[in-house]
Amino acid sequence: IHVGVWIMNKKGELLFQQRSMQKKINPGKWTRTGGHVDSGETPLQAVQRETCEEIGVKIPLDKFELLSVKKEEVYIPDYQVTNRHFIYSYIAIVDYRIEDYTKQEEEVSDLKYITVEEMEKAYENKDDNFTFIKWKNIDNVIEMLKKIRKEKCLQ
């Protein structure tokens, strides 16, 4: 089971983390925070733990809102392996600034907030610096993030 979280600040910007160049899969690419569920953990506990480990903030459990659960199959040609897993996607609206985060150096090279429109432009331009450009239905995710921003963030 994989978990991922869209971390959105009060201005409606999304936190992206740049994967360490030491990572085997997608080194140096920008992505959302996430990871895998450990034995005995719920997906909600895992997303909180991964967030704390990777970016150094312990977001309260009640701040995570489950957006979707999907079954995914992804072939990774470089390793000739197919990943089959469930993905639990969350959103957390927070009031953190970039300087409030602490990067786990083995996992994260850099952090930045971008707008949903910048994310959409990266997708339209097939910007290979972002992992999401290869995701299925990312256009639906972008629309959902715009809706959440409109409903829950400062405009």
Side-chain angles (χ1 to χ4, degrees):
I1 298 174
H2 180 85
V3 293
V5 59
W6 298 106
I7 297 174
M8 184 178 280
N9 65 18
K10 302 282 184 177
K11 294 188 277 183
E13 299 167 322
L14 298 163
L15 182 72
F16 276 82
Q17 62 185 53
Q18 186 177 34
R19 292 174 60 84
S20 165
M21 290 305 289
Q22 300 163 12
K23 299 296 284 178
K24 287 182 182 177
I25 298 173
N26 294 319
K29 297 201 181 207
W30 292 92
T31 192
R32 65 182 178 170
T33 302
H36 292 92
V37 177
D38 287 344
S39 178
E41 267 184 330
T42 66
L44 182 59
Q45 291 166 332
V47 76
Q48 183 188 51
R49 175 187 49 76
E50 287 286 351
T51 303
C52 191
E53 286 175 3
E54 292 184 7
I55 59 174
V57 292
K58 188 170 184 179
I59 299 172
L61 290 174
D62 63 358
K63 291 277 188 186
F64 292 100
E65 180 182 333
L66 182 63
L67 297 176
S68 66
V69 180
K70 294 181 180 161
K71 185 178 178 184
E72 180 119 329
E73 186 171 303
V74 179
Y75 179 70
I76 303 168
D78 293 350
Y79 297 96
Q80 297 181 348
V81 67
T82 299
N83 271 347
R84 291 180 184 94
H85 52 234
F86 287 93
I87 300 173
Y88 284 69
S89 291
Y90 294 88
I91 189 162
I93 299 176
V94 301
D95 201 15
Y96 301 126
R97 300 165 299 151
I98 287 294
E99 51 270 17
D100 295 329
Y101 299 108
T102 305
K103 300 178 302 234
Q104 181 186 25
E105 297 298 332
E106 309 84 59
E107 297 274 340
V108 181
S109 296
D110 203 2
L111 295 165
K112 68 179 176 180
Y113 277 112
I114 68 170
T115 66
V116 180
E117 288 73 21
E118 288 170 310
M119 181 182 170
E120 187 172 40
K121 187 174 183 177
Y123 173 63
E124 289 168 359
N125 293 335
K126 297 182 180 14
D127 185 340
D128 196 36
N129 292 307
F130 291 89
T131 60
F132 64 78
I133 64 156
K134 297 177 183 171
W135 297 358
K136 296 175 186 165
N137 299 321
I138 191 64
D139 48 342
N140 294 338
V141 172
I142 290 168
E143 290 309 311
M144 180 180 53
L145 291 169
K146 286 180 180 178
K147 183 177 180 220
I148 291 168
R149 177 184 62 189
K150 185 176 180 182
E151 292 172 357
K152 299 187 179 193
C153 296
L154 306 171
Q155 295 296 313

